Amino acid sequence: MLNTYLQGLAVGFSLIIAIGAQNAFILKQGLKRQHVFWVCFACALSDSLLILLGVAGFSAVLLHYPQIIQFAQWGGALFLFWYGFQHAVQALKSASVMQLSANSASSLTQTLLMCLALTWLNPHVYLDTVILLGSISTQFADQAYFALGAISASWLFFFALGYGARVLIPVFENPKAWQFLDGMIALVMWGIAVSLLFNA
Protein backbone atom coordinates (compact mmCIF):
# COMPACT_ATOMS: atom_id res chain seq x y z
CA MET A 1 0.00 0.00 0.00
CA LEU A 2 2.76 2.43 0.90
CA ASN A 3 4.62 1.60 -2.31
CA THR A 4 1.47 2.27 -4.36
CA TYR A 5 0.91 5.57 -2.54
CA LEU A 6 4.52 6.65 -3.16
CA GLN A 7 4.29 5.77 -6.85
CA GLY A 8 1.11 7.84 -7.11
CA LEU A 9 2.90 10.69 -5.34
CA ALA A 10 5.89 10.46 -7.71
CA VAL A 11 3.75 10.35 -10.86
CA GLY A 12 1.62 13.21 -9.57
CA PHE A 13 4.69 15.39 -8.94
CA SER A 14 6.20 14.53 -12.33
CA LEU A 15 3.06 15.73 -14.12
CA ILE A 16 2.36 18.84 -12.04
CA ILE A 17 5.83 20.40 -11.84
CA ALA A 18 5.89 21.38 -15.53
CA ILE A 19 5.21 25.08 -16.13
CA GLY A 20 1.58 25.52 -17.10
CA ALA A 21 -1.40 27.82 -16.83
CA GLN A 22 -2.26 26.83 -13.25
CA ASN A 23 1.30 27.12 -11.97
CA ALA A 24 1.89 30.51 -13.59
CA PHE A 25 -1.33 31.87 -12.09
CA ILE A 26 -0.54 30.55 -8.61
CA LEU A 27 2.99 31.95 -8.80
CA LYS A 28 1.73 35.41 -9.67
CA GLN A 29 -0.92 35.35 -6.93
CA GLY A 30 1.73 34.23 -4.47
CA LEU A 31 4.00 37.11 -5.47
CA LYS A 32 1.13 39.57 -5.11
CA ARG A 33 0.03 37.91 -1.85
CA GLN A 34 -3.57 37.98 -3.01
CA HIS A 35 -6.06 35.20 -2.15
CA VAL A 36 -3.19 32.69 -2.07
CA PHE A 37 -4.92 30.13 0.15
CA TRP A 38 -8.11 30.05 -1.90
CA VAL A 39 -6.29 29.87 -5.22
CA CYS A 40 -4.16 26.95 -4.01
CA PHE A 41 -7.24 25.31 -2.49
CA ALA A 42 -9.28 25.67 -5.70
CA CYS A 43 -6.49 24.22 -7.87
CA ALA A 44 -5.78 21.32 -5.50
CA LEU A 45 -9.48 20.49 -5.09
CA SER A 46 -10.03 20.60 -8.85
CA ASP A 47 -7.07 18.29 -9.44
CA SER A 48 -8.36 15.94 -6.74
CA LEU A 49 -11.78 15.69 -8.41
CA LEU A 50 -10.23 15.09 -11.83
CA ILE A 51 -7.87 12.42 -10.49
CA LEU A 52 -10.78 10.66 -8.79
CA LEU A 53 -12.75 10.77 -12.05
CA GLY A 54 -9.81 9.23 -13.88
CA VAL A 55 -9.31 6.44 -11.35
CA ALA A 56 -13.06 5.79 -11.27
CA GLY A 57 -12.99 5.06 -14.99
CA PHE A 58 -14.07 8.34 -16.59
CA SER A 59 -10.90 8.16 -18.72
CA ALA A 60 -12.64 5.40 -20.71
CA VAL A 61 -15.52 7.80 -21.46
CA LEU A 62 -13.12 10.45 -22.76
CA LEU A 63 -11.28 7.89 -24.88
CA HIS A 64 -14.60 6.63 -26.27
CA TYR A 65 -15.81 10.17 -27.03
CA PRO A 66 -12.66 12.03 -28.17
CA GLN A 67 -14.78 14.93 -29.44
CA ILE A 68 -15.09 16.06 -25.81
CA ILE A 69 -11.34 16.59 -25.67
CA GLN A 70 -11.34 18.18 -29.13
CA PHE A 71 -14.00 20.69 -28.07
CA ALA A 72 -11.98 21.46 -24.93
CA GLN A 73 -8.84 21.93 -27.06
CA TRP A 74 -10.42 24.64 -29.23
CA GLY A 75 -12.13 26.38 -26.33
CA GLY A 76 -9.03 26.15 -24.17
CA ALA A 77 -6.79 27.49 -26.95
CA LEU A 78 -8.99 30.56 -27.45
CA PHE A 79 -9.08 31.22 -23.72
CA LEU A 80 -5.30 30.86 -23.37
CA PHE A 81 -4.67 33.17 -26.33
CA TRP A 82 -6.84 35.80 -24.64
CA TYR A 83 -5.20 35.28 -21.25
CA GLY A 84 -1.74 35.45 -22.83
CA PHE A 85 -2.67 38.66 -24.63
CA GLN A 86 -3.64 40.26 -21.32
CA HIS A 87 -0.22 39.44 -19.86
CA ALA A 88 1.54 40.63 -23.01
CA VAL A 89 -0.19 44.00 -22.62
CA GLN A 90 0.91 44.12 -18.97
CA ALA A 91 4.48 43.31 -19.98
CA LEU A 92 4.56 46.24 -22.41
CA LYS A 93 3.36 48.79 -19.89
CA SER A 94 5.74 51.33 -18.40
CA ALA A 95 7.49 50.52 -15.13
CA SER A 96 5.45 53.02 -13.10
CA VAL A 97 2.14 51.70 -14.42
CA MET A 98 3.41 48.15 -13.88
CA GLN A 99 4.06 48.86 -10.21
CA LEU A 100 0.47 50.05 -9.76
CA SER A 101 -0.79 46.96 -11.58
CA ALA A 102 1.28 44.66 -9.35
CA ASN A 103 -0.22 46.27 -6.26
CA SER A 104 -3.81 46.23 -7.54
CA ALA A 105 -6.09 43.57 -6.13
CA SER A 106 -8.87 41.61 -7.81
CA SER A 107 -11.84 40.44 -5.80
CA LEU A 108 -11.85 36.89 -4.46
CA THR A 109 -14.71 36.00 -6.82
CA GLN A 110 -12.87 37.32 -9.90
CA THR A 111 -9.68 35.56 -8.86
CA LEU A 112 -11.39 32.22 -8.27
CA LEU A 113 -13.31 32.42 -11.56
CA MET A 114 -10.06 33.01 -13.43
CA CYS A 115 -8.37 30.20 -11.49
CA LEU A 116 -11.18 27.74 -12.27
CA ALA A 117 -11.23 28.77 -15.93
CA LEU A 118 -7.48 28.16 -16.23
CA THR A 119 -8.01 24.73 -14.68
CA TRP A 120 -11.22 23.42 -16.25
CA LEU A 121 -10.80 24.99 -19.71
CA ASN A 122 -7.31 23.57 -20.15
CA PRO A 123 -7.42 20.19 -21.95
CA HIS A 124 -3.92 19.35 -20.69
CA VAL A 125 -5.45 19.00 -17.23
CA TYR A 126 -7.84 16.32 -18.50
CA LEU A 127 -5.12 14.53 -20.45
CA ASP A 128 -2.79 14.45 -17.43
CA THR A 129 -5.14 13.85 -14.52
CA VAL A 130 -8.09 11.97 -15.99
CA ILE A 131 -6.66 9.98 -18.89
CA LEU A 132 -2.98 9.48 -18.01
CA LEU A 133 -3.30 9.05 -14.24
CA GLY A 134 -6.51 7.09 -14.71
CA SER A 135 -4.78 4.71 -17.12
CA ILE A 136 -1.68 4.28 -14.93
CA SER A 137 -3.84 3.56 -11.88
CA THR A 138 -5.22 0.41 -13.54
CA GLN A 139 -1.79 -1.20 -13.08
CA PHE A 140 -2.26 -1.25 -9.31
CA ALA A 141 -4.49 -3.46 -7.22
CA ASP A 142 -4.89 -0.65 -4.67
CA GLN A 143 -6.00 2.11 -7.03
CA ALA A 144 -7.30 4.19 -4.14
CA TYR A 145 -3.80 4.49 -2.66
CA PHE A 146 -2.37 5.47 -6.04
CA ALA A 147 -5.04 8.16 -6.36
CA LEU A 148 -4.34 9.34 -2.82
CA GLY A 149 -0.64 9.67 -3.65
CA ALA A 150 -1.33 11.70 -6.81
CA ILE A 151 -3.82 13.90 -4.94
CA SER A 152 -1.28 14.48 -2.17
CA ALA A 153 1.23 15.68 -4.79
CA SER A 154 -1.25 18.29 -6.04
CA TRP A 155 -2.00 19.65 -2.56
CA LEU A 156 1.67 19.73 -1.54
CA PHE A 157 2.90 21.32 -4.75
CA PHE A 158 0.23 24.01 -5.16
CA PHE A 159 0.50 25.23 -1.58
CA ALA A 160 4.31 25.10 -1.68
CA LEU A 161 4.28 27.15 -4.90
CA GLY A 162 1.72 29.66 -3.67
CA TYR A 163 3.33 30.35 -0.31
CA GLY A 164 6.91 29.74 -1.46
CA ALA A 165 6.59 32.46 -4.10
CA ARG A 166 7.06 35.11 -1.40
CA VAL A 167 10.73 34.14 -1.26
CA LEU A 168 11.02 35.89 -4.64
CA ILE A 169 9.24 39.06 -3.52
CA PRO A 170 12.50 41.06 -3.07
CA VAL A 171 13.29 40.37 -6.74
CA PHE A 172 9.85 41.64 -7.77
CA GLU A 173 10.30 44.95 -5.97
CA ASN A 174 11.78 45.93 -9.32
CA PRO A 175 8.87 46.69 -11.72
CA LYS A 176 10.92 45.30 -14.62
CA ALA A 177 10.78 41.89 -12.97
CA TRP A 178 6.96 42.04 -13.19
CA GLN A 179 7.24 42.96 -16.86
CA PHE A 180 9.53 39.97 -17.43
CA LEU A 181 7.18 37.63 -15.55
CA ASP A 182 4.15 38.81 -17.52
CA GLY A 183 6.07 38.41 -20.76
CA MET A 184 7.03 34.85 -19.83
CA ILE A 185 3.46 34.01 -18.79
CA ALA A 186 2.19 35.34 -22.13
CA LEU A 187 4.68 33.17 -24.04
CA VAL A 188 3.78 30.08 -21.98
CA MET A 189 0.04 30.61 -22.52
CA TRP A 190 0.48 31.14 -26.26
CA GLY A 191 2.78 28.13 -26.48
CA ILE A 192 0.16 25.92 -24.81
CA ALA A 193 -2.58 27.37 -27.02
CA VAL A 194 -0.61 26.68 -30.21
CA SER A 195 0.14 23.12 -29.09
CA LEU A 196 -3.56 22.58 -28.47
CA LEU A 197 -4.50 23.81 -31.96
CA PHE A 198 -1.87 21.65 -33.68
CA ASN A 199 -3.05 18.59 -31.73
CA ALA A 200 -6.76 19.26 -32.25
Side-chain angles (χ1 to χ4, degrees):
M1 290 186 294
L2 178 60
N3 182 55
T4 302
Y5 172 83
L6 292 175
Q7 290 196 55
L9 187 71
V11 173
F13 272 127
S14 68
L15 293 175
I16 205 171
I17 286 175
I19 297 174
Q22 275 183 322
N23 295 350
F25 185 74
I26 292 173
L27 175 63
K28 189 163 187 181
Q29 291 302 122
L31 288 168
K32 293 166 70 176
R33 293 188 177 185
Q34 293 176 9
H35 314 300
V36 179
F37 173 83
W38 291 110
V39 167
C40 295
F41 181 83
C43 287
L45 183 62
S46 295
D47 262 24
S48 299
L49 293 173
L50 289 165
I51 291 168
L52 289 174
L53 283 174
V55 174
F58 189 67
S59 56
V61 175
L62 292 181
L63 290 172
H64 192 67
Y65 297 99
Q67 58 268 32
I68 296 175
I69 292 293
Q70 190 172 36
F71 175 78
Q73 283 178 306
W74 285 98
L78 290 174
F79 175 76
L80 290 172
F81 270 123
W82 170 79
Y83 187 66
F85 175 75
Q86 284 193 316
H87 281 278
V89 170
Q90 290 292 327
L92 294 174
K93 285 183 177 179
S94 67
S96 59
V97 174
M98 197 61 213
Q99 188 64 42
L100 290 173
S101 175
N103 294 331
S104 64
S106 301
S107 70
L108 176 59
T109 301
Q110 289 175 317
T111 302
L112 285 179
L113 287 175
M114 180 61 71
C115 177
L116 292 173
L118 286 169
T119 300
W120 294 90
L121 292 179
N122 184 359
H124 281 278
V125 174
Y126 296 93
L127 294 172
D128 287 346
T129 56
V130 179
I131 295 179
L132 187 56
L133 281 172
S135 300
I136 294 173
S137 71
T138 60
Q139 302 173 21
F140 300 93
D142 299 315
Q143 285 180 279
Y145 288 98
F146 179 85
L148 184 60
I151 288 170
S152 297
S154 292
W155 286 85
L156 290 169
F157 178 78
F158 285 138
F159 276 91
L161 179 62
Y163 285 99
R166 61 189 57 192
V167 174
L168 298 174
I169 287 176
V171 176
F172 285 86
E173 289 177 354
N174 182 349
K176 291 189 179 299
W178 285 102
Q179 290 178 298
F180 177 78
L181 177 64
D182 276 312
M184 290 303 298
I185 291 175
L187 292 175
V188 168
M189 296 306 112
W190 288 340
I192 296 172
V194 168
S195 72
L196 291 176
L197 292 178
F198 275 102
N199 292 323

